[in-house]
Amino acid sequence: MIELKDDNFKTTILDNESLNVVDFFAEWCAPCKVMSEKVFPEVEEELKGVVNFYKVDADENYDLTSEFGIRSLPTLIYFKGNREIYRSSGLVQKQALIDNIKIKFGI
């Protein structure tokens, strides 16, 4: 996953028409580590070339965390084009995440 920061989020996510999933996480967050180490690598491989996956360290990027109203971690925000179309919080298992992405993005 590519890590985004306050200074490159807009050009990467909001200025394109791609299907993107952004994971707001923190290093101290145990469910975030599970998602990062076990769930996302497999989901990325399965949906490679269809959906882009990014992560934002909520502690290091306060402006983004505040702008998107992140209150719990991990929080996933789905963007279609430059619009937020869905968000979820908490640990999500691999197949549930894949199914949800396919439903929300219509793929």
Side-chain angles (χ1 to χ4, degrees):
M1 289 177 79
I2 297 171
E3 188 164 347
L4 300 176
K5 300 190 179 296
D6 290 328
D7 62 353
N8 66 350
F9 186 91
K10 183 180 184 301
T11 56
T12 305
I13 301 299
L14 301 181
D15 289 346
N16 73 55
E17 294 299 318
S18 300
L19 305 177
N20 301 299
V21 175
V22 180
D23 172 32
F24 284 81
F25 76 101
E27 292 295 330
W28 49 263
C29 168
C32 298
K33 288 183 183 191
V34 172
M35 295 282 292
S36 178
E37 295 171 5
K38 298 183 180 190
V39 177
F40 279 119
E42 294 178 17
V43 172
E44 279 184 294
E45 184 61 33
E46 187 159 331
L47 297 176
K48 190 175 187 174
V50 178
V51 177
N52 301 311
F53 294 89
Y54 300 94
K55 62 183 180 176
V56 174
D57 187 323
D59 290 332
E60 293 183 10
N61 298 282
Y62 179 77
D63 290 345
L64 286 174
T65 302
S66 178
E67 179 181 345
F68 287 99
I70 304 302
R71 300 285 179 253
S72 62
L73 299 172
T75 292
L76 304 178
I77 301 180
Y78 299 29
F79 291 90
K80 190 171 189 176
N82 61 1
R83 291 186 358 255
E84 177 182 334
I85 62 165
Y86 181 74
R87 76 170 56 198
S88 66
S89 295
L91 179 63
V92 181
Q93 297 302 320
K94 173 191 166 191
Q95 195 56 53
L97 180 57
I98 290 170
D99 293 345
N100 201 22
I101 288 170
K102 288 180 177 180
I103 289 167
K104 299 302 179 193
F105 284 142
I107 54 176

